[in-house]
Amino acid sequence: MATFVLVPGGWHGSWSFEAVTPLLQRAGHAVHALTLTGLRPDDDNAAVATANLDTHAATCCGSSIAPTSPARRWSGTATAGW
């Protein structure tokens, strides 16, 4: 089956995918729902103050789930706008 990496939009975290994660898992997929740097409940003030597009890209691309695979699926939502 596929591996899904779910990336939330601005001011959201992995909790945004609580409804869809179990559905994908029951279908046999591996699911990694991310919370980006600066938005995690345990991030300190310095992490929050310095979080930007670069740190968010590093969270996604620098994680252990980032290696490419033909079975890997990425899903993201917008950071700005409606």
Side-chain angles (χ1 to χ4, degrees):
M1 289 293 171
T3 298
F4 286 85
V5 182
L6 306 175
V7 183
W11 308 115
H12 289 258
S14 59
W15 61 88
S16 300
F17 302 107
E18 288 177 352
V20 73
T21 296
L23 299 174
L24 291 168
Q25 291 171 329
R26 279 196 298 272
H29 303 293
V31 180
H32 301 278
L34 303 180
T35 299
L36 301 174
T37 304
L39 301 173
R40 295 178 285 231
D42 58 340
D43 282 344
D44 60 18
N45 288 338
V48 172
T50 59
N52 59 30
L53 184 58
D54 291 333
T55 58
H56 291 174
T59 299
C60 297
C61 298
S63 70
S64 61
I65 55 172
T68 59
S69 163
R72 192 165 314 278
R73 307 289 185 262
W74 288 79
S75 175
T77 57
T79 299
W82 286 90

